[in-house]
Amino acid sequence: MSLRNYLNKIKPAFEEGGKLHAFRSVFDGFETFLYVPNTTAKSGAHIHDAIDSKRIMSMVVIALMPAMLFGMYNVGYQNFLAAGKPADATFFSIFFYGFFAVLPKILVSYIVGLGIEFAWAQWKGEEIQEGYLVSGILIPLIIPVDCPLWILAIACAFAVIFAKEIFGGTGMNIFNVALVTRAFLFFSYPQKMSGDTVWVASDKILGLGYTLPDGYTAATPLAQIGQDGATTTELCDMVTGLIPGSIGETSVIAIALGAVILLWTGIASWKTMLSVFVGGSVMAFIFQAADKTPIPFYEHLVLGGFAFGAVFMATDPVTSARTEGGKWIFGLLVGAMAIIIRVMNPGYPEGMMLAILLMNMFAPLIDHCVVQRNVSKRMKRLTSK
């Protein structure tokens, strides 16, 4: 018996009057994850595309795979490098060390986040929403590898409840859920999100890697710039990503592969993505010309979470601008604001997280202004005839 036939056989038990009707939302969520649903929208829904949301989310997860896999390798590489034993490592020992270091964070993210969404759907008697499929993988990729699991669990619960569910669930949230998780971690547990010791996994895992001494340090290039006004990291390493940093944010090459997938499938807007880089480039060039930044303007685009944020965060169709003109404005302001925060605030060398969250708040206003401008132009054309 095929899986489709088996689901059809047990489905009546979950429908109204069935013994398991109380768990209808769980069954619907599992069924629509495996198969395209028969219905695409219900009354009151806003249809943006012919493809259903679960397929969009699945494609974004696929686009994140290069950054995630490289991040796992880099976690192992940084551990062996910090121990002074890179020559003793093989490709597989490096990768599997990183795999086993990152996997618990992915599991905690999904178990906590999806657990709350399942419980929330059961409580309200609604279908399980699919938005956390992407947030669940994004969250582990934007945190330091040494972030404790219990702290990650608290942050995921806070973000799902207060940044998503209280607004009405998937498609209704104002702020990017993954970035709210990171912001909660940054402001509630700053010692676990910054400094020179959080970017390298410090324990031996399943016989792989090394337990590092207490005095080891591994500052990110942006942290070095903030502290010393310079960095010893070469541009090649910035692009390839073999540097300390958040798990999935270091490799521009891996992020670019994800960008190609998103653009080729039409999931992400090239206007938003491109305008973030344009806005960041222009602002970084201005600061470089004013001698306010010690690195060339183009290095800002390949350091920290700038590229990752531009590709996977700023293009979020829920929390970014949706009008075509608004996408340009939104992206330009995100890129410019990220560089302003980096350069003008020595205590916070990253900038991308706060820039996107700030512009999430203004995205509806940007769209409103664009729409009203179009309405005004059309009215003028009508009255002039």
Side-chain angles (χ1 to χ4, degrees):
M1 180 184 294
S2 69
L3 179 59
R4 177 69 270 177
N5 291 336
Y6 177 73
L7 291 175
N8 290 336
K9 180 180 179 180
I10 66 174
K11 189 172 185 177
F14 293 91
E15 296 177 341
E16 188 171 355
K19 296 180 180 180
L20 301 175
H21 177 65
F23 300 98
R24 172 66 183 272
S25 59
V26 177
F27 178 83
D28 286 343
F30 182 72
E31 181 186 30
T32 55
F33 178 78
L34 294 173
Y35 297 98
V36 176
N38 293 326
T39 57
T40 56
K42 294 186 177 181
S43 176
H46 300 281
I47 304 173
H48 295 286
D49 207 323
I51 186 172
D52 76 301
S53 296
K54 282 188 175 63
R55 298 306 172 271
I56 293 176
M57 300 301 174
S58 299
M59 190 58 63
V60 177
V61 171
I62 292 173
L64 283 163
M65 288 297 104
M68 185 191 73
L69 294 174
F70 182 88
M72 290 176 174
Y73 179 85
N74 190 44
V75 166
Y77 177 80
Q78 295 302 323
N79 176 270
F80 283 91
L81 189 65
K85 306 278 184 144
D88 296 347
T90 64
F91 172 85
F92 291 103
S93 64
I94 291 175
F95 176 79
F96 281 111
Y97 177 87
F99 174 82
F100 288 114
V102 175
L103 182 61
K105 291 175 172 52
I106 297 175
L107 293 177
V108 167
S109 175
Y110 273 119
I111 290 171
V112 173
L114 289 179
I116 293 174
E117 291 214 347
F118 272 57
W120 197 282
Q122 285 294 115
W123 174 49
K124 298 181 69 176
E126 298 177 349
E127 294 182 0
I128 294 173
Q129 299 170 344
E130 59 280 343
Y132 200 79
L133 288 176
V134 173
S135 298
I137 193 69
L138 279 174
I139 291 170
L141 298 185
I142 60 175
I143 62 173
V145 68
D146 231 25
C147 178
L149 296 179
W150 67 271
I151 293 179
L152 177 61
I154 294 173
C156 290
F158 174 88
V160 171
I161 295 172
F162 291 101
K164 183 179 179 183
E165 296 300 346
I166 65 171
F167 287 101
T170 299
M172 306 297 290
N173 51 296
I174 299 174
F175 299 103
N176 185 290
V177 176
L179 287 178
V180 170
T181 305
R182 196 181 195 284
F184 178 86
L185 287 167
F186 183 82
F187 292 110
S188 300
Y189 304 96
Q191 72 279 8
K192 300 297 183 181
M193 293 295 292
S194 59
D196 296 345
T197 61
V198 300
W199 309 107
V200 178
S202 56
D203 296 325
K204 197 169 185 177
I205 301 175
L206 300 179
L208 299 170
Y210 293 88
T211 300
L212 305 182
D214 294 335
Y216 82 95
T217 59
T220 65
L222 282 176
Q224 291 176 353
I225 294 170
Q227 295 168 4
D228 306 324
T231 178
T232 57
T233 306
E234 298 292 336
L235 178 61
C236 179
D237 292 331
M238 297 178 189
V239 174
T240 56
L242 293 174
I243 56 176
S246 296
I247 294 171
E249 294 181 348
T250 61
S251 176
V252 177
I253 296 175
I255 294 169
L257 292 175
V260 170
I261 295 173
L262 293 179
L263 295 176
W264 179 62
T265 55
I267 300 298
S269 168
W270 67 269
K271 295 178 181 178
T272 304
M273 203 179 294
L274 176 61
S275 59
V276 173
F277 284 102
V278 172
S281 299
V282 171
M283 187 54 62
F285 183 80
I286 292 173
F287 279 123
Q288 181 183 347
D291 200 25
K292 295 293 185 181
T293 176
I295 61 175
F297 74 94
Y298 52 82
E299 289 190 1
H300 277 286
L301 308 182
V302 296
L303 282 178
F306 193 94
F308 192 90
V311 172
F312 296 109
M313 302 292 194
T315 56
D316 178 8
V318 174
T319 59
S320 64
R322 294 186 178 185
T323 57
E324 296 305 309
K327 292 175 182 178
W328 286 108
I329 299 171
F330 178 86
L332 289 169
L333 291 175
V334 166
M337 187 60 63
I339 301 302
I340 290 173
I341 296 173
R342 277 186 182 182
V343 176
M344 302 303 292
N345 183 4
Y348 187 65
E350 175 51 61
M352 199 60 175
M353 174 189 74
L354 292 181
I356 296 176
L357 287 175
L358 177 64
M359 295 317 302
N360 285 165
M361 186 167 56
F362 286 99
L365 177 61
I366 293 173
D367 283 337
H368 174 77
C369 292
V370 171
V371 170
Q372 290 304 309
R373 180 175 180 272
N374 290 337
V375 170
S376 298
K377 288 172 65 177
R378 292 178 182 180
M379 290 297 294
K380 288 179 180 178
R381 287 199 297 268
L382 288 173
T383 55
S384 63
K385 293 181 179 180

